[in-house]
């Protein structure tokens, strides 16, 4: 498969327009913010892959442990003809599901959706080569906008892994889960990865590693704005921070100005002043308890069928059925 085989619903032009709108809204707010999705250009994707291998970053290992143990059961329960993966990236963990569903004998197609055409083209090429009997149809799109364009024969299982659901604010999360339910027929499936509430020290280390990889990843959003909108951010002028908000039960990543500075962003027609010590919130990563995950799924029209955790109960994987 080549990049030309991908279904493209999110062009470079539309991505630039979305970035411009987010920068204008987020950097003119009283408390400045930027959406986490803008970390992920080619460099950002590489940095995140490096983060997943760090000793402090447990979620990827914990989720992989669950999938290794339960992929066969997931294949048996869903008997899926189509596996859809949202925000697929490298699709590495999804190979555990592909193997199990292929062995079960029901899987006909794999539909990964990702905003990065280059990352998706690489992943789909590799998977098509390794699973020659499988139809692989990559979709370049934003999973908050393009779910209704997903192909695939029923029954489908939609996999949203890695704890990415935690990057949404609660109202955004409710809207997203409802939008997934709207594109599924009754009886189809959502496989959802959720990082779990745990001691603050473990959480903060996971988002502020000793090697500084997460700090580099966090600053990458500024490089993306420089590259796409002609801004003059100096990434080193902003310090990386992670903060556990016990009341909201989420980790915040922030970029804090080391000194007063004004940043020019010609592509968004903005000049943005920062006071010394002022910060941009670049990511939230909500952590869950089973009751919260089950309640939010139910509110969106899903019934929790199975709940699994890793051996240390650091990460939860939900298999939920859409109900009519």
């Amino acid at each position: 498969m080549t990049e030309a085989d991908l279904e493209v619903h999110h062009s470079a032009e539309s991505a630039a327009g979305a970035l411009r709108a987010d920068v204008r809204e987020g950097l003119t707010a009283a408390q400045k913010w930027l959406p986490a999705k803008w970390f992920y250009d080619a460099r950002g994707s590489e940095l995140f892959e490096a983060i997943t291998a760090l000793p402090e970053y447990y979620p990827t290992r914990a989720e992989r442990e669950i999938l290794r143990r339960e992929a066969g059961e997931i294949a048996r329960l869903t008997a899926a003809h189509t596996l859809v993966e949202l925000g697929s990236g490298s699709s590495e963990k999804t190979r555990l599901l592909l193997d199990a569903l292929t062995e079960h004998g029901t899987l006909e197609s794999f539909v990964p959706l990702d905003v990065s055409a280059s990352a998706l083209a690489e992943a789909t090429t590799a998977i098509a080569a390794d699973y020659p009997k499988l139809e692989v149809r990559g979709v370049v799109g934003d999973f908050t906008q393009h779910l209704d364009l997903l192909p695939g024969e029923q029954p489908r299982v939609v996999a949203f892994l890695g704890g990415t659901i935690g990057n949404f604010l609660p109202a955004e999360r409710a809207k997203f889960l409802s939008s997934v339910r709207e594109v599924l027929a009754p009886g189809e499936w959502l496989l959802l990865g959720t990082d779990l509430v745990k001691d603050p020290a473990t959480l903060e280390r996971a988002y502020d590693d000793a090697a500084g990889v997460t700090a580099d990843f966090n600053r990458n959003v500024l490089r993306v704005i420089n590259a796409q909108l002609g801004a003059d951010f100096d990434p080193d002028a902003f310090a990386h921070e992670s903060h556990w908000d016990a009341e909201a039960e989420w980790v915040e990543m922030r970029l804090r100005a080391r000194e007063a500075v004004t940043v020019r962003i010609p592509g968004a027609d903005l000049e943005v002043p920062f006071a010394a010590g002022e910060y941009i919130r670049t990511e939230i990563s909500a952590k869950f308890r089973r009751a919260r995950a089950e309640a939010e799924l139910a509110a969106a029209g899903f019934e929790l069928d199975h709940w699994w955790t890793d051996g240390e109960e650091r990460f939860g994987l939900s298999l939920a059925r859409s109900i009519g």
Side-chain angles (χ1 to χ4, degrees):
M1 174 172 284
T2 66
E3 186 173 336
D5 297 309
L6 302 180
E7 296 181 22
V8 179
H9 301 293
H10 194 63
S11 66
E13 182 178 348
S14 64
L19 174 61
R20 184 180 304 110
D22 284 342
V23 165
R24 284 176 175 163
E25 183 179 359
L27 295 187
T28 59
Q31 170 53 69
K32 294 179 173 65
W33 57 270
L34 290 167
K37 65 182 178 181
W38 299 118
F39 290 132
Y40 294 98
D41 63 353
R43 179 176 183 178
S45 296
E46 291 174 2
L47 286 168
F48 184 73
E49 288 299 315
I51 286 170
T52 64
L54 293 169
E56 297 96 332
Y57 194 79
Y58 61 85
T60 300
R61 292 189 297 277
E63 187 176 44
R64 188 183 295 119
E65 175 190 322
I66 301 167
L67 287 169
R68 284 198 185 105
R69 189 184 70 226
E70 304 295 348
E73 180 69 354
I74 293 165
R76 186 189 68 79
L77 290 165
T78 64
H81 290 177
T82 302
L83 173 63
V84 176
E85 185 181 16
L86 305 182
S88 63
S90 66
S91 298
E92 186 270 334
K93 281 181 293 190
T94 312
R95 288 172 177 265
L96 296 168
L97 293 171
L98 291 172
D99 288 343
L101 285 161
T102 300
E103 184 176 346
H104 188 66
T106 58
L107 192 65
E108 298 172 357
S109 63
F110 174 52
V111 180
L113 182 149
D114 198 89
V115 72
S116 171
S118 58
L120 192 60
E122 183 177 348
T124 52
T125 298
I127 287 172
D130 292 343
Y131 299 84
K133 296 182 180 179
L134 197 63
E135 180 184 15
V136 181
R137 303 173 64 182
V139 177
V140 180
D142 185 330
F143 52 66
T144 65
Q145 301 176 33
H146 301 121
L147 291 180
D148 59 332
L149 300 172
L150 292 173
E153 295 297 321
Q154 300 179 13
R156 294 168 295 178
V157 56
V158 174
F160 193 40
L161 303 176
T164 305
I165 188 68
N167 295 152
F168 293 103
L169 291 165
E172 296 169 338
R173 202 159 60 233
K175 180 180 178 181
F176 171 76
L177 290 171
S178 294
S179 70
V180 176
R181 170 61 190 89
E182 286 172 6
V183 302
L184 295 179
E188 293 191 297
W189 301 89
L190 172 63
L191 184 67
L192 183 66
T194 49
D195 197 11
L196 302 181
V197 174
K198 56 185 65 64
D199 67 282
T202 297
L203 289 166
E204 291 190 352
R205 281 196 302 271
Y207 292 84
D208 193 11
D209 61 278
V213 181
T214 309
D216 197 16
F217 174 69
N218 195 8
R219 294 187 186 100
N220 199 60
V221 70
L222 306 183
R223 299 186 193 102
V224 168
I225 296 170
N226 285 350
Q228 297 297 319
L229 300 178
D232 61 359
F233 276 106
D234 175 4
D236 292 332
F238 290 81
H240 164 72
E241 295 180 352
S242 70
H243 168 72
W244 169 244
D245 185 325
E247 182 177 354
E249 295 192 323
W250 67 45
V251 175
E252 281 193 12
M253 287 212 311
R254 303 169 175 175
L255 290 171
R256 189 178 296 275
R258 300 182 193 275
E259 57 187 27
V261 63
T262 296
V263 176
R264 294 161 189 82
I265 312 175
D269 194 25
L270 281 180
E271 286 195 0
V272 183
F274 289 87
E278 186 177 5
Y279 69 83
I280 311 167
R281 187 184 71 198
T282 53
E283 181 180 87
I284 67 160
S285 184
K287 307 306 171 187
F288 290 81
R289 304 175 192 271
R290 174 174 175 165
R292 178 175 170 183
E294 187 168 3
E296 292 193 10
L297 286 165
F302 289 97
E303 181 179 20
L304 184 64
D305 194 83
H306 277 71
W307 168 268
W308 300 285
T309 67
D310 64 292
E312 296 181 46
E313 298 189 343
R314 298 167 295 176
F315 198 91
L317 190 66
S318 308
L319 181 65
R321 187 196 304 264
S322 81
I323 54 179

